[in-house]
């Protein structure tokens, strides 16, 4: 429902009771008495708001295997630790709730996509476990749209909490109409009763550009939509307002500075680790800013911006004191990595009862940035039937052994190998292109499993063959660079991975002139320049062929064939082929040269 803001303000000036809309009929006595009673206690009260929050859990229902560097007796020791997982988070939340009964749990979007659970079950276990975790509200993330509107509708029907997105309009999309709303008013228990807290949702307006199919859902600029929601909440007497935002940390800081009336911004999307620099350094981690980051809003009041890293590894915890006027009078924070006490080193588990195990656990504990709850048995039981069904598939060997770790962003990036696999799957193609954003995991040295391949390439894109000219190939690369440069906030450029050709980038040059060289790789290690008039057969993933990552040029190419081959299948087959003749190493590179 939307009504005129001006009229609401006027009516609340004229009337002692701020009614949202004029009443056409006389009220029955009982209802009138009830309204008077509500209004009598509707005067805003001071509140200590206890927030817990997650974001970008990305189908990580089980713990994540994470690399940490602990300081043991002043010496850095690399370990792997099991962090997060819904069962461990449940125990941490139960403990927090026993201390603070009014705890509010928020999820800032991207609950799905990233593990086999989503590939196989399309969001059901994720939402069942979020219900069991006791989520009070969630905002939509871009990845919630990954399997299209029908699947999203089925997923959101499972949620037993409000889903929020003030700047996303689904009224023209039948599968999704009514599945979310701009904001919710949570009644937070206080000593004297309850106090209303407004929670507004906002989702990145880049979603249609980075998603295959959002149907007829329309995204708008978040700021005006949030302002409208703040005005509606204010007109209902709500003066404590949280923005639940899936826009990324930098945009959250901008929104906090520019939109009046926001007290707290709980964010996601950028997977930003916030916290105490020294505490996190003791775990080998480096935060992007303090938790919370305090921003001065347009009305001079403080706005607290928080985010809880990624994959459910950090449970955000923020306590905010409000006075009756809704001003923040103080806050305290206790975000923590939620982790197992047991570690592994050099690929072997360390016995927690050993001296080394105890020293590692003590080092992690001494950081002050970690908590060590056990896994909740009921949560494990709820997850078990899903786990059993995917385990068999997950553990199946692909038939290849990697000679070294394939680490994204490093010289051993899995990207060139993935791009090669696209080319190998379509023998008539000349060249291939793979985006960096589509590669979701690193691959460890050793035998490769089907589950690892699906973790690396979870999106089930199909391979599409496009007939392009040399000029169109160059334009497509320019598209990708322009889109990244427009969207990035100081992050390193991540140009697409080529196969069968190489290119050079000078990001400092103007749009359209950043590709400074483009050449085919010829047999025997040579190269030949690609000329504008050359005809090339390009194979790429359906996401890019459909214009993803800003690749408008590719979207407009009519001469195309969708092979129906899924990218992860092509990669597994390529690995198996290479693996038949010995350990697999990343191809010699680099294929993209960046001007400094
Ligand atoms: Zn996101």
């Amino acid at each position: 429902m939307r009504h005129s803001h001006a009229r609401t303000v006027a009516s609340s000036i004229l009337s002692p009771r701020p009614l949202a809309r004029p009443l056409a009929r006389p009220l029955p006595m009982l209802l009138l008495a009830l309204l008077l009673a509500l209004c009598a206690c509707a005067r805003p009260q001071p509140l200590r708001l206890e927030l817990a929050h997650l974001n970008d859990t990305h189908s990580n229902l089980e713990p994540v295997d994470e690399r940490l560097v602990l300081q043991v007796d002043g010496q850095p020791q690399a370990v792997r630790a099991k962090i997060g997982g819904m069962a461990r988070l449940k125990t941490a939340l139960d403990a927090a709730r026993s201390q603070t009964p009014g705890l509010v749990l928020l999820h800032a979007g991207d609950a799905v996509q990233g593990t086999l659970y989503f590939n196989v079950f399309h969001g059901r276990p994720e939402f069942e476990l979020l219900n069991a975790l006791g989520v009070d509200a969630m905002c939509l993330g871009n990845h919630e749209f990954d399997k299209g509107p029908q699947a999203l509708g089925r997923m959101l029907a499972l949620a037993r909490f409000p889903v929020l997105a003030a700047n996303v309009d689904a009224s023209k999309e039948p599968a999704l109409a009514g599945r979310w709303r701009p904001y919710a008013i949570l009644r937070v228990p206080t000593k004297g009763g309850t106090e209303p807290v407004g929670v507004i949702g906002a989702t990145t307006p880049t979603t249609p550009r980075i998603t295959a199919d959002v149907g007829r859902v329309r995204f708008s600029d978040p700021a005006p939509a949030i302002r409208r929601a703040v005005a509606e909440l204010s007109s209902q007497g709500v003066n404590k307002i949280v923005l639940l935002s899936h826009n990324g940390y930098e945009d959250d800081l901008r929104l906090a500075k520019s939109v009046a009336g926001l007290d707290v911004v709980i964010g996601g999307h950028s997977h930003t680790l916030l916290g105490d620099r020294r505490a996190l350094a003791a775990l080998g981690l480096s935060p992007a800013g303090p938790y919370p980051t305090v921003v001065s809003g347009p009305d001079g009041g403080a706005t607290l911006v928080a985010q809880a890293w990624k994959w459910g590894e950090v449970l955000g915890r923020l306590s905010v004191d409000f006075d009756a006027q809704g001003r923040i009078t103080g806050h305290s924070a206790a975000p923590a990595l939620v982790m197992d006490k047991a570690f592994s080193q050099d690929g072997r588990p360390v016995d927690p009862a050993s001296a080394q195990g105890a020293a590692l656990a003590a080092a992690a504990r001494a950081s002050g940035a970690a908590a060590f709850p056990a896994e909740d048995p009921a949560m494990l039981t709820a997850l078990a039937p899903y786990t059993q069904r995917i385990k068999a598939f997950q553990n199946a060997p692909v038939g290849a052994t990697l000679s070294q770790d394939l680490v994204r962003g490093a010289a051993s990036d899995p990207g060139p190998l993935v791009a090669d696999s696209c080319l190998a799957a379509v023998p008539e193609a000349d060249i291939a292109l793979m985006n960096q954003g589509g590669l979701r995991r690193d691959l460890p040295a050793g035998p490769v499993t089907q589950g690892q391949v699906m973790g690396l390439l979870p999106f089930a894109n199909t391979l599409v063959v496009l007939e392009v000219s040399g000029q169109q190939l160059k334009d497509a690369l320019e598209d990708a660079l322009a889109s990244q440069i427009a969207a990035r906030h100081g992050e390193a450029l991540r140009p697409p991975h080529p196969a069968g050709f190489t290119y050079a980038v000078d990001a400092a040059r103007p749009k359209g002139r950043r590709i400074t060289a483009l050449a085919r790789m010829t047999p025997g290690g040579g190269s030949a320049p690609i000329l504008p008039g050359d005809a090339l057969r390009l194979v790429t993933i359906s996401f890019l062929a459909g214009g993803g990552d800003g690749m408008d040029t590719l979207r407009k190419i009519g001469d195309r064939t969708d092979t129906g081959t899924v990218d992860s299948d092509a990669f597994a087959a390529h690995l198996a082929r290479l693996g038949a003749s010995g350990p697999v190493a990343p191809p010699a590179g680099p294929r993209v040269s960046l001007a400094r």
Side-chain angles (χ1 to χ4, degrees):
M1 183 190 72
R2 192 180 308 161
H3 51 79
S4 153
H5 176 212
R7 190 195 303 158
T8 308
V9 171
S11 75
S12 65
I13 292 167
L14 297 175
S15 156
R17 288 177 277 129
L19 297 174
R21 57 199 148 127
L23 299 160
R25 277 173 291 149
L27 284 169
M29 279 312 288
L30 184 63
L31 182 54
L32 190 61
L34 186 67
L35 267 177
L36 287 169
L38 278 174
C39 292
C41 64
R43 201 175 302 121
Q45 301 294 319
L47 173 70
R48 170 167 291 177
L49 176 61
E50 298 281 0
L51 290 174
H53 59 100
L54 297 166
N55 54 274
D56 299 276
T57 43
H58 281 298
S59 300
N60 286 286
L61 306 178
E62 296 180 72
V64 175
D65 185 46
E66 187 75 61
R67 181 178 186 271
L68 299 176
V69 180
L70 302 176
Q71 297 294 325
V72 181
D73 299 329
Q75 294 299 312
Q77 291 206 19
V79 299
R80 299 204 73 95
K82 298 224 174 296
I83 310 185
M86 290 295 156
R88 192 167 275 118
L89 286 167
K90 177 68 163 60
T91 306
L93 282 160
D94 284 349
R97 285 187 181 111
S98 72
Q99 287 163 2
T100 52
L103 188 83
V104 170
L105 175 59
L106 301 176
H107 192 299
D110 279 4
V112 297
Q113 188 69 273
T115 72
L116 274 180
Y117 286 102
F118 189 53
N119 298 78
V120 177
F121 303 111
H122 300 190
R124 173 170 284 277
E126 287 87 335
F127 277 81
E128 285 178 356
L129 295 191
L130 290 180
N131 287 337
L133 218 49
V135 169
D136 292 292
M138 173 185 169
C139 72
L140 280 178
N142 52 299
H143 282 292
E144 265 72 64
F145 289 86
D146 279 358
K147 289 196 186 294
Q150 302 290 337
L152 177 55
R154 282 192 293 272
M155 232 153 67
L156 295 185
L158 298 168
R160 291 203 301 263
F161 44 82
V163 177
L164 310 173
N167 65 320
V168 188
D169 176 4
S171 58
K172 301 269 187 327
E173 178 52 66
L176 291 170
R179 288 284 179 220
W180 59 82
R181 45 187 153 134
Y183 60 85
I185 299 175
L186 304 180
R187 301 271 161 193
V188 178
T190 60
K191 272 182 230 117
T194 64
E195 182 62 15
V197 171
V199 181
I200 303 168
T203 305
T204 173
T206 64
T207 301
R209 277 185 276 139
I210 56 179
T211 309
D213 175 21
V214 300
R216 275 175 257 162
V217 178
R218 281 178 308 188
F219 291 71
S220 62
D221 184 10
I226 297 165
R227 284 197 186 94
R228 277 197 299 276
V230 169
E232 289 188 23
L233 286 165
S234 304
S235 76
Q236 295 170 63
V238 178
N239 67 7
K240 302 165 187 76
I241 297 180
V242 176
L243 173 65
L244 193 51
S245 164
H246 194 82
N247 286 278
Y249 180 56
E250 296 292 333
D251 281 8
D252 287 346
L253 295 179
R254 265 193 285 280
L255 287 166
K257 280 192 190 105
S258 62
V259 179
L262 301 177
D263 299 303
V264 179
V265 181
I266 297 297
H269 188 53
S270 50
H271 298 189
T272 304
L273 178 64
L274 299 177
D276 181 76
R277 189 161 294 281
R278 279 186 58 184
L280 290 167
L283 300 174
L285 300 171
S286 167
Y291 180 105
T293 304
V294 183
V295 171
S296 179
D299 45 7
T303 302
L304 311 178
V305 178
Q307 192 172 144
W309 204 18
K310 59 168 174 81
W311 301 346
E313 292 175 81
V314 167
L315 181 61
R317 274 290 280 119
L318 185 60
S319 305
V320 188
D321 287 316
F322 290 95
D323 65 13
Q325 283 71 46
R327 286 179 302 238
I328 295 177
T329 56
H331 70 266
S332 63
L337 273 85
V338 174
M339 57 195 278
D340 192 3
K341 281 191 279 284
F343 300 91
S344 63
Q345 269 185 309
D346 306 317
R348 282 185 300 275
V350 178
D351 179 0
S354 70
Q356 173 67 356
L360 293 174
R365 200 178 290 280
S367 73
F372 304 89
E375 293 189 289
D376 177 72
M379 212 64 163
L380 291 176
T381 304
L383 183 57
Y386 293 108
T387 309
Q388 278 162 13
R389 280 168 63 187
I390 62 169
K391 267 292 169 342
F393 177 79
Q394 203 164 19
N395 292 334
V398 160
T401 297
L402 293 174
S403 62
Q404 64 179 100
D405 293 348
L406 302 187
V407 180
R408 292 163 303 157
S412 65
D413 195 303
L417 206 51
V418 172
D420 282 353
S421 76
C422 301
L423 202 49
V426 184
E428 66 270 29
D430 305 308
I431 55 172
L433 203 55
M434 175 68 204
N435 64 333
Q436 296 209 25
L439 305 169
R440 307 303 282 190
R441 288 287 160 93
D442 300 334
L443 290 182
V448 184
T449 64
Q450 201 61 250
Q452 287 171 330
V453 168
M454 297 285 285
L456 172 68
L457 295 165
F459 299 107
N461 275 291
T462 52
L463 301 184
V464 178
V465 181
L466 302 166
E467 308 289 340
V468 300
S469 68
Q471 184 64 46
Q472 285 170 322
L473 175 64
K474 182 172 176 295
D475 292 346
L477 295 169
E478 292 280 2
D479 288 348
L481 294 171
S483 155
Q484 273 188 36
I485 288 167
R488 78 184 162 142
H489 307 293
E491 291 122 35
L493 203 59
R494 302 200 302 159
H497 293 290
F501 73 106
T502 61
Y503 64 95
V505 175
D506 186 348
R509 295 177 60 151
K511 187 176 172 181
R513 295 175 55 198
R514 294 179 177 129
I515 302 298
T516 55
L518 194 56
R520 286 279 298 269
M521 293 158 72
T522 55
S527 77
I530 294 177
L531 304 174
D534 287 355
L536 297 159
R537 198 163 280 168
L538 167 71
V539 56
T540 190
I541 57 170
S542 45
F543 173 70
L544 295 181
D549 281 359
M551 291 217 180
D552 265 355
T553 305
L554 294 188
R555 181 174 54 83
K556 290 177 189 151
I557 287 167
D559 203 346
R560 62 175 60 214
T561 312
D562 191 326
T563 64
T565 303
V566 175
D567 55 0
S568 53
D569 291 344
F571 185 55
H574 186 58
L575 284 180
R577 223 165 12 243
L578 296 175
S581 49
V584 178
R591 295 173 181 177
V592 181
S593 57
L594 291 171
R596 299 239 51 190

